[in-house]
Amino acid sequence: KKKTYDRHKNARCRTDDYTSGVQCGTTNHDYYYDGHCDYNKHSDFRSLDECKYKCDRWSKCVGFEWNENSDICEIWIELSAKGNTKKANNAECWWVEPEEKNYDRHKNARCRTKDNYSGVECGTTNDGVCDYKLYWDLNSLDECRNKCNGCCSGMPCVGFEWNENSDKCEIWFKDNDEGNTEKANNAECWWVEPEEKNYDRHKNARCRT
């Protein structure tokens, strides 16, 4: 699908907590879903259009930053739910605009796995296998939902959980066919509703490669 962007001139991209972010390859873990890096840095692009093209074509890209003085292109893979930026001359930050999803909303409930388990938080295991990513720095249910709308194209968000008492947001990655939940006060679980597929039907035929 074609991406649309929120363009910020004379600005650099920033994380949810307004830090400059972690460059991939500078930590022991480069998996975007583990939260150990925020962007890939490229110094071999010659124009803003080339930087944008890289983001357009890469499913994991949620935004990019281009500096016309240094010809440095940062391809961001960790979404800033607020589209944060910092003023800077000769730079531009382009955030991919989240695509609105349809949800099945469960009030007073927490999200659970297919086997009704609480799930594994990303970044807490060595093998990178996880069910959800935890955020403590979002201010509202809307910000949590925006995180899911735009999160991590290479590992799509299939739902989110918001706790209004603790301002805790869980972004779920693993698909839950049954939309399992567990009763809990002050929490909501929103499962993404499956997108209807279109089919090309062939009668009196078997599928072949």
Side-chain angles (χ1 to χ4, degrees):
K1 293 182 180 180
K2 184 177 177 61
K3 295 179 179 179
T4 56
Y5 295 90
D6 181 15
R7 182 179 185 179
H8 301 263
K9 294 185 177 181
N10 294 316
R12 298 200 63 184
C13 300
R14 285 298 178 259
T15 62
D16 284 328
D17 55 1
Y18 290 94
T19 64
S20 57
V22 176
Q23 180 183 340
C24 297
T26 60
T27 62
N28 291 329
H29 301 279
D30 289 341
Y31 300 106
Y32 68 94
Y33 50 82
D34 272 345
H36 292 289
C37 65
D38 299 284
Y39 65 89
N40 284 304
K41 186 175 180 179
H42 301 271
S43 56
D44 56 347
F45 292 167
R46 293 170 293 181
S47 67
L48 182 148
D49 287 341
E50 284 190 16
C51 189
K52 180 177 179 292
Y53 181 80
K54 178 70 174 180
C55 187
D56 285 340
R57 299 292 294 237
W58 195 32
S59 63
K60 296 176 185 176
C61 178
V62 296
F64 69 91
E65 176 185 307
W66 171 253
N67 189 305
E68 64 180 19
N69 276 6
S70 61
D71 291 346
I72 289 178
C73 172
E74 292 179 359
I75 299 296
W76 280 65
I77 54 180
E78 175 61 28
L79 181 68
S80 170
K82 310 180 189 71
N84 287 340
T85 60
K86 178 182 177 181
K87 288 184 179 180
N89 293 330
N90 305 309
E92 296 191 19
C93 176
W94 295 45
W95 287 118
V96 175
E97 292 185 338
E99 182 180 344
E100 188 63 36
K101 298 176 180 177
N102 295 317
Y103 295 92
D104 182 15
R105 182 179 185 179
H106 301 264
K107 293 185 177 181
N108 294 317
R110 298 200 63 186
C111 299
R112 287 296 179 261
T113 62
K114 292 180 181 179
D115 54 0
N116 291 310
Y117 178 55
S118 58
V120 176
E121 180 186 346
C122 295
T124 60
T125 60
N126 293 325
D127 58 8
V129 177
C130 59
D131 299 285
Y132 66 89
K133 184 172 180 181
L134 179 61
Y135 294 89
W136 290 99
D137 54 353
L138 304 184
N139 298 316
S140 67
L141 183 147
D142 286 341
E143 286 188 7
C144 188
R145 183 174 61 227
N146 285 341
K147 198 76 169 175
C148 185
N149 283 341
C151 190
C152 318
S153 301
M155 193 177 183
C157 174
V158 298
F160 70 90
E161 176 185 309
W162 171 254
N163 189 305
E164 64 181 19
N165 277 6
S166 61
D167 291 344
K168 183 176 71 170
C169 173
E170 294 179 2
I171 300 298
W172 281 66
F173 300 115
K174 282 199 173 176
D175 196 13
N176 187 334
D177 292 334
E178 299 169 13
N180 286 341
T181 60
E182 178 183 80
K183 288 185 179 180
N185 293 330
N186 305 308
E188 296 191 20
C189 176
W190 294 47
W191 288 118
V192 175
E193 293 184 340
E195 186 175 335
E196 187 67 29
K197 296 180 179 179
N198 296 315
Y199 295 90
D200 183 15
R201 182 179 181 181
H202 301 264
K203 293 184 177 181
N204 298 318
R206 298 193 64 182
C207 298
R208 289 293 182 264
T209 58

